[in-house]
Amino acid sequence: GCGAICDEYAKKDARVRVIHKPNGGLSSARNAGIEAAKGAWIAFIDGDDWIDPDMMNILHTAALRHGAQVAECSYRRIYKDRIEEETPCTGACIEGTNVDALEGMYDWKNFKSLACNKLFARSVIADVRFPQGRLHEDEFTTYRFDWNADKLVYVDASEYNYDCSREGSITTQAFREGHLDVCFAFRERIDFLRAHGVERLEQKAIDNYCWVVFDRLYKAYRAGMKGPKLDEVLNMVRRDAQEFRNRKISPGNLNLLNLIADQGLSAYGKLRDGQEEQ
C-alpha cells in the first residue's frame, strides 16, 4: 500500500510529488528521482530505513555554513535486539576536500561511501547515475559525487537509521552472485584515482580492493558458487596479479593475488579454511 500512502501525502502537501513506475531496483528508483527532482539539493533514503526529523535541516545548515556541496552525518544500525551507533556522535563538524573525502572512504572515517546519509548539491550529481542491475550501487557512484565537490562537511551526529532487522533485506540476505559487484566498483576506483592524478591514495585503493576481492571470493568458495560473474572476477584477479607487480601494493596482497591467479579459487579457499580453523 505504499503507493496509495504516498498519493495521500501528495494531496495534503503540494511539495510532494509521487512517481509510479515498475520496480526496477534501487538504482532505477534513485535515477528516476534524480531526473524528476527540481530542487538545488538531493538526498536518497533507502526503503527500509528512516531519518530523524531534523536530519535535512542539520545537513542543509552545515552545508551553507561551511560552503560545502556535500553534507554528511553519522548513522545508527537498528537490529532486532540492539542499536549500534556507528560513531561516538560528538557533534563535531569536519570540513574536507574531495581528496579528503576519498581518503576517509578508504579509512572508513568521517566521509564514507554510503549515499543515504548525505545531502548533495545538485551540481555534484551532474550526469553521474547509479548503475542499474548492480548491488552495492553506492560504491560505484558516491565517490564520484564527492569528487565533484569543492568542499564537504561531516557532522558527527546520528541522524540516519539503517534498518538491519528485516529478514530478506539486501543487508541480511545470504551470499549470492550479485554481492560480487562490489569487486568491480572497487576496481573502478583505482583507475579513477590514477586518471585524476590522486596517486597518494593508490596503495590504499589497491589494498582495499584486494581486501574486498579476497572476502567475496572466499564467501563464493564457501557457498560453492559458480557462474559468469564469478569467472569475471577471477579473470580480473589474473590480470591484476600481473598489473599490480609494478604498483603500490602490500606484498601479502600481491602474493594472494598470485596464488588465485596461478592455482585458482579452490587453492585460495583451502588456505583460508586453514586460517579460519586456527
Side-chain angles (χ1 to χ4, degrees):
C2 294
I5 293 171
C6 292
D7 288 338
E8 287 299 315
Y9 274 106
K11 292 177 183 178
K12 298 175 182 178
D13 191 329
R15 296 173 298 176
V16 177
R17 287 185 295 133
V18 183
I19 301 169
H20 293 277
K21 63 181 292 298
N23 185 1
L26 184 54
S27 289
S28 175
R30 286 178 173 174
N31 291 341
I34 293 171
E35 297 299 333
K38 297 180 179 179
W41 298 89
I42 294 178
F44 306 98
I45 304 169
D46 289 350
D48 291 343
D49 304 339
W50 67 96
I51 64 174
D52 287 359
D54 58 352
M55 173 177 159
M56 293 303 163
N57 183 51
I58 288 174
L59 294 184
H60 186 242
T61 300
L64 296 181
R65 181 175 296 153
H66 293 270
Q69 294 80 47
V70 179
E72 176 175 345
C73 64
S74 187
Y75 59 94
R76 58 181 70 90
R77 296 178 185 270
I78 311 297
Y79 295 92
K80 288 183 177 180
D81 58 347
R82 67 192 188 281
I83 297 175
E84 294 182 0
E85 297 286 354
E86 180 67 15
T87 66
C89 298
T90 63
C93 287
I94 300 169
E95 293 183 1
T97 65
N98 53 4
V99 176
D100 294 331
L102 294 183
E103 186 164 20
M105 177 182 66
Y106 286 121
D107 294 338
W108 204 249
K109 181 179 180 182
N110 302 331
F111 305 101
K112 301 181 176 69
S113 57
L114 302 174
C116 56
N117 64 331
K118 297 176 177 61
L119 184 63
F120 299 97
R122 186 184 190 87
S123 59
V124 304
I125 292 178
D127 60 354
V128 179
R129 295 296 181 267
F130 293 93
Q132 298 197 43
R134 295 279 200 185
L135 293 184
H136 304 284
E137 66 291 324
D138 293 2
E139 305 289 359
F140 287 91
T141 50
T142 306
Y143 74 94
R144 295 177 182 269
F145 298 154
D146 290 350
W147 180 258
N148 288 337
D150 295 322
K151 184 184 288 186
L152 302 90
V153 61
Y154 166 76
V155 182
D156 191 31
S158 290
E159 295 289 324
Y160 190 90
N161 299 278
Y162 191 29
D163 187 1
C164 301
S165 65
R166 186 176 68 83
E167 294 181 4
S169 68
I170 292 175
T171 55
T172 60
Q173 286 176 350
F175 188 79
R176 57 192 175 97
E177 192 176 33
H179 290 116
L180 294 170
D181 286 340
V182 71
C183 299
F184 306 118
F186 273 61
R187 185 61 182 83
E188 284 183 11
R189 290 182 192 173
I190 297 171
D191 292 336
F192 182 90
L193 291 174
R194 173 156 284 206
H196 289 82
V198 193
E199 294 183 0
R200 74 178 180 87
L201 296 183
E202 180 170 87
Q203 181 163 344
K204 285 187 178 183
I206 292 177
D207 286 342
N208 269 259
Y209 160 74
C210 289
W211 186 93
V212 166
V213 165
F214 299 152
D215 174 75
R216 294 305 189 270
L217 285 181
Y218 183 58
K219 288 176 178 175
Y221 162 81
R222 295 287 293 179
M225 183 179 293
K226 297 184 184 299
K229 190 168 289 189
L230 176 60
D231 292 340
E232 189 177 353
V233 173
L234 290 171
N235 286 332
M236 183 169 63
V237 166
R238 295 185 186 101
R239 293 193 300 270
D240 289 337
Q242 294 291 326
E243 181 177 339
F244 291 164
R245 288 176 181 176
N246 299 316
R247 305 275 288 272
K248 297 176 182 176
I249 180 174
S250 299
N253 285 336
L254 183 58
N255 289 339
L256 288 177
L257 289 177
N258 287 325
L259 172 68
I260 297 169
D262 296 338
Q263 300 182 42
L265 179 60
S266 179
Y268 172 68
K270 290 176 182 177
L271 174 67
R272 283 288 300 269
D273 282 342
Q275 294 174 342
E276 296 292 325
E277 289 175 1
Q278 295 176 6

